[in-house]
Amino acid sequence: LRATGPDSGSARTTLPYTLKLAFSDPWGVRVGGDAWVRQTDAGTRETGGGDPGVVLKYRFGPTSPWGVELGEKFPSAGPTLGSGRADTTLNGIYSNDFGDWHTDINLAETRVGLPGGQAHGWQAGWAASLAHPLAGDWGIGGEFSGTHQAAVPDTAQFLAALSWNASPRAAFDFGVARGLTDASPRNQVFGG
């Protein structure tokens, strides 16, 4: 569950989902989106499902920290609960361990579906995170991330999270995120 703070006059609550399948050592697929969305803006409220997406992931060798993803978001939710347009993303990944610390670095380029006549349909995205185990099955992590698109204000946020590994196949995250620019959602809380 993810909730975005109402300090901008609007609020958004979502129930995101992600399903992952590694069908060979280097190849995997991820399907995800928002199973449920409640968007409140200027006194109006809409609810329904969000935009789904599919991502194909490839890792360059069994021990390589490098990978790449190709993803497509489908505009099934409409312009209020989703973007109303399809997006295509190519993402480069570096994921590695340094002792007890784990890092993930992502650099992405997205072809953003824009209404006809609008330029600047490319958006760059970045994220850099560090995670460290705590006592038992608990861990802590932090992440800086953001986006840049010509003629659109940049976004940036910092996220802090606790994780609990309930089993080798199930992990739960709880945390908060704070927007670092005026164009970013100011406050978010999440768990899942």
Side-chain angles (χ1 to χ4, degrees):
L1 185 64
R2 179 179 293 270
T4 302
D7 54 295
S8 64
S10 66
R12 182 174 175 94
T13 304
T14 65
L15 182 60
Y17 65 92
T18 302
L19 305 170
K20 298 178 183 181
L21 174 64
F23 48 88
S24 71
D25 187 37
W27 290 97
V29 66
R30 183 174 74 238
V31 176
D34 292 322
W36 175 82
V37 179
R38 180 175 64 203
Q39 176 76 35
T40 305
D41 193 11
T44 63
R45 180 185 292 176
E46 293 201 35
T47 60
D51 291 332
V54 63
V55 175
L56 183 64
K57 184 174 183 175
Y58 178 76
R59 184 175 62 182
F60 296 104
T63 60
S64 173
W66 299 96
V68 66
E69 294 177 332
L70 178 63
E72 184 74 13
K73 185 196 70 165
F74 303 100
S76 64
T80 302
L81 299 179
S83 69
R85 297 170 296 277
D87 297 336
T88 305
T89 300
L90 182 63
N91 183 33
I93 303 165
Y94 177 81
S95 182
N96 207 355
D97 293 322
F98 299 96
D100 286 341
W101 292 92
H102 179 80
T103 187
D104 285 303
I105 299 172
N106 291 262
L107 293 173
E109 191 70 24
T110 300
R111 176 66 177 153
V112 180
L114 292 173
Q118 288 191 20
H120 313 299
W122 289 96
Q123 181 182 74
W126 58 273
S129 68
L130 277 175
H132 192 276
L134 296 174
D137 295 324
W138 289 88
I140 190 168
E143 176 186 87
F144 284 100
S145 63
T147 61
H148 171 76
Q149 185 175 358
V152 175
D154 290 350
T155 67
Q157 73 172 15
F158 176 73
L159 176 147
L162 282 173
S163 62
W164 174 54
N165 293 316
S167 75
R169 295 183 177 260
F172 297 93
D173 295 315
F174 317 89
V176 295
R178 174 78 175 165
L180 303 175
T181 68
D182 290 339
S184 305
R186 193 55 56 203
N187 298 301
Q188 299 178 60
V189 267
F190 63 90

